[in-house]
Amino acid sequence: MATDAPPPSKTEHRLPSTEEFVAVQESAEFGELRRSYRSFAFPLTVAFIAWYLLFVLLSSYAGDFMGTKLFGNVNVALVLGLAQFLTTFLIAWWTARHAADRLDPKAEAIKSRMEGGA
């Protein structure tokens, strides 16, 4: 499996103290990283759970609607069920892209500073 990440460094990193971890956790930079993650992940999670529950509720209480044939033997339930898989993969791709673009650079800066690289 090929990745864009470089191989791990052979040099040993300095281990930060507990006080350094607490100081970073309370820093504005770490707060921004946490906000960036939460402002993306929480709404997306709520939206997907709502979409999933809609599918379950429609399957349970709207059988006639879900059984509506669209073409051939393909009905609304099949299309919505397959859409669940599609949205799962889209969310995974979007989350990975968001992390690579916005979260990883901030986290790497914090990590390198904690390990004495900056």
Side-chain angles (χ1 to χ4, degrees):
M1 177 167 97
T3 64
D4 294 333
S9 173
K10 301 281 185 198
T11 61
E12 289 191 31
H13 298 286
R14 179 183 70 81
L15 293 176
S17 68
T18 303
E19 292 79 20
E20 290 172 308
F21 275 112
V22 171
V24 167
Q25 185 179 7
E26 294 171 351
S27 72
E29 185 180 23
F30 187 78
E32 175 59 32
L33 175 62
R34 192 171 40 221
R35 271 188 301 282
S36 294
Y37 171 73
R38 288 179 178 173
S39 67
F40 180 82
F42 288 176
L44 197 57
T45 301
V46 169
F48 184 77
I49 289 172
W51 158 231
Y52 174 74
L53 290 176
L54 174 68
F55 176 73
V56 171
L57 291 171
L58 285 173
S59 296
S60 296
Y61 299 109
D64 291 338
F65 169 70
M66 295 295 270
T68 303
K69 290 192 183 240
L70 300 175
F71 53 90
N73 287 329
V74 176
N75 62 16
V76 173
L78 179 63
V79 170
L80 292 180
L82 292 174
Q84 289 285 317
F85 286 102
L86 178 64
T87 54
T88 300
F89 289 114
L90 285 174
I91 288 170
W93 169 78
W94 192 16
T95 302
R97 192 172 131 213
H98 174 76
D101 292 345
R102 299 211 177 111
L103 303 178
D104 291 349
K106 293 175 186 177
E108 186 59 37
I110 293 170
K111 178 184 174 219
S112 65
R113 202 169 41 258
M114 291 285 292
E115 292 177 344

